[in-house]
Amino acid sequence: MPTKSDVAIIRELAARVAEIAALPVQEEKRALWRKLNGLRPERPMVMIDQVCWNEMNIDDELTLRCTDDECRAYEQELRRTLFQWRRFPVDMVVEPFIRVRKAIVNSRFGITVHESIAVTDPTNDVVGHKYLNQFETEEDLEKIQMPVVCHDTAETDRRLAVAHELFDGLLEVRPDGADLNLSLWDPIATWMGVENALYAMIDRPDYVHRLVGRVTAGYISMLDQLEAQGLLCQPQSLIHCTGAWTDELPAPGYNPEKPRTKDIWMMGLAQMLATVSPRMFKEFEVHYTSQLAARFGLVYYGCCDPLDKKMAEVRMIPNVRKVSMSPWADEERGAAEIGRDFVYSRKPSPALLAWDSFDAERVRE
């Protein structure tokens, strides 16, 4: 439970965030994101995301002072928001609410990842992984279970009660459901290892089709259960690392107590398939992810998978509105392939920020 000191710390930070959230520029930025996502861009929008926060604690601005773990999580969110707004806001939007995650219990696919981890920086939550292949026989396919989803309403009520104590009068407390990363291949990579999975696509394609088919069926079952129980998130502010504000969502008939997949964005990606041919990408990814994308209002497709040579296949995925082009793509070709049909989410290389000394001119170039 929060101590008086914890409450005081959180409310002081929340008051500062609330002042920023009330600035007219926040709605101005939302309007610009809506125009961009509606394919009527007024100008390019810039966002800095996935920050190396473990390297950012200048003058103790990010040092947590609360003692309760729940309060520390809120404190971290608030301090990072204030830090970014002060130092590198670009086109971020500071919202006047706090999202409180509903206590959703999800069995997912029932597979425990077996791996070795390499840590080079103990302060960094990014580590190296070496995964053990758990899918080598026909019997192994039976390991993939259909997810079971339920809601711990008592825990959600407890979380909301704490949030109201911390934020009432400052920021709206907004219960929030599941905002899913629906990559088919990210979990498969952790169950098999990337190299093993890629070789299996060549050596045992029928086996891999059954594998990815079961994952697809599992996601569909999960979405059905989340919808039926009112456990999906409300329309997002962000979808992965880009602004999600849009005039097109939620869909007509929206009920905030029971959001549907068609009211929100889906994020889809297949980074592991960066090196496969367009034909294999269509066969092993597009066919399956399209079954998920068809349910959603809008889709943001791609992450660090270079899609400049696969846009013909990406166009086959329903409801795609925004396409990521990684630093490893031919950006000119990618932009030409995207044209005016989608939002081009350009990811510049972050490598130039990693030198011992910062060369601003080179970054600008």
Side-chain angles (χ1 to χ4, degrees):
M1 291 295 293
T3 64
K4 287 184 178 179
S5 174
D6 286 352
V7 172
I9 291 167
I10 295 295
R11 289 190 66 80
E12 189 274 329
L13 295 169
R16 288 159 57 190
V17 170
E19 287 182 8
I20 296 166
L23 296 173
V25 69
Q26 308 301 345
E27 184 52 36
E28 292 169 14
K29 292 290 179 67
R30 288 189 200 96
L32 288 170
W33 280 109
R34 291 187 192 105
K35 288 180 180 179
L36 175 69
N37 290 330
L39 303 178
R40 307 180 313 276
E42 189 168 311
R43 64 166 175 81
M45 302 297 286
V46 180
M47 180 165 287
I48 298 176
D49 193 72
Q50 296 182 300
V51 177
C52 47
W53 287 111
N54 60 307
E55 300 177 14
M56 291 289 173
N57 194 7
I58 299 168
D59 297 331
D60 274 341
E61 287 182 43
L62 298 173
T63 300
L64 302 183
R65 294 172 173 81
C66 290
T67 56
D68 175 74
D69 286 344
E70 196 166 13
C71 289
R72 287 171 70 84
Y74 286 125
E75 182 188 6
Q76 177 173 275
E77 179 182 350
L78 295 168
R79 289 191 184 280
R80 288 180 176 181
T81 298
L82 291 166
F83 186 99
Q84 182 162 358
W85 180 258
R86 178 183 175 190
R87 297 178 183 277
F88 47 97
V90 285
D91 288 321
M92 74 182 288
V93 173
V94 178
E95 299 281 32
F97 53 81
I98 287 287
R99 289 184 172 88
V100 179
R101 289 292 180 194
K102 294 180 179 179
I104 300 170
V105 182
N106 186 344
S107 69
R108 300 195 70 82
F109 296 103
I111 299 172
T112 300
V113 173
H114 298 298
E115 63 178 323
S116 300
I117 293 176
V119 178
T120 55
D121 179 356
T123 70
N124 195 339
D125 59 3
V126 177
V127 298
H129 305 265
K130 182 179 180 181
Y131 298 108
L132 177 70
N133 187 1
Q134 300 184 62
F135 285 86
E136 300 186 89
T137 69
E138 290 294 326
E139 292 72 25
D140 288 336
L141 293 174
E142 300 303 318
K143 295 176 181 176
I144 303 176
Q145 302 169 15
M146 292 298 102
V148 176
V149 175
C150 59
H151 185 200
D152 184 343
T153 55
E155 171 60 15
T156 293
D157 289 344
R158 187 203 64 77
R159 293 178 187 180
L160 289 170
V162 170
H164 281 296
E165 179 183 357
L166 296 173
F167 299 108
D168 273 1
L170 298 171
L171 295 169
E172 176 195 346
V173 171
R174 182 172 292 187
D176 204 42
D179 187 359
L180 301 169
N181 172 355
L182 292 178
S183 169
L184 298 163
W185 290 96
D186 281 3
I188 292 172
T190 69
W191 303 339
M192 298 183 71
V194 171
E195 186 172 299
N196 293 321
L198 289 172
Y199 274 119
M201 290 168 65
I202 300 167
D203 297 333
R204 298 184 293 159
D206 291 342
Y207 183 87
V208 175
H209 276 298
R210 291 194 293 277
L211 171 64
V212 72
R214 287 179 72 94
V215 177
T216 305
Y219 276 146
I220 290 172
S221 172
M222 185 190 305
L223 293 172
D224 288 342
Q225 295 173 68
L226 289 166
E227 271 195 332
Q229 298 179 54
L231 295 177
L232 285 170
C233 68
Q234 297 184 33
Q236 305 102 316
S237 299
L238 302 176
I239 176 67
H240 184 42
C241 53
T242 187
W245 296 274
T246 171
D247 292 322
E248 297 170 56
L249 301 177
Y254 171 64
N255 175 2
E257 298 299 317
K258 210 165 187 180
R260 306 155 298 182
T261 49
K262 67 181 179 180
D263 294 317
I264 59 176
W265 287 82
M266 169 188 153
M267 175 193 172
L269 67 157
Q271 297 177 113
M272 198 191 84
L273 304 188
T275 57
V276 311
S277 68
R279 182 187 64 78
M280 291 182 75
F281 173 71
K282 177 183 175 183
E283 178 181 350
F284 289 100
E285 163 67 0
V286 172
H287 171 72
Y288 295 99
T289 202
S290 292
Q291 299 173 49
L292 307 173
R295 299 180 57 142
F296 283 81
L298 293 171
V299 174
Y300 175 36
Y301 193 81
C303 188
C304 287
D305 27 348
L307 297 171
D308 54 306
K309 295 181 181 179
K310 295 173 179 170
M311 278 305 302
E313 290 71 32
V314 171
R315 287 174 179 273
M316 299 174 184
I317 302 171
N319 300 320
V320 171
R321 175 59 54 85
K322 184 176 293 196
V323 179
S324 172
M325 283 288 162
S326 81
W328 299 277
D330 181 321
E331 295 178 337
E332 293 292 335
R333 178 169 53 211
E337 289 291 329
I338 286 171
R340 290 283 182 176
D341 298 332
F342 309 99
V343 180
Y344 175 11
S345 181
R346 178 181 180 270
K347 309 284 185 64
S349 172
L352 293 175
L353 303 179
W355 298 107
D356 292 336
S357 59
F358 179 60
D359 186 340
E361 280 308 311
R362 187 158 185 206
V363 172
R364 287 192 183 97
E365 287 173 11

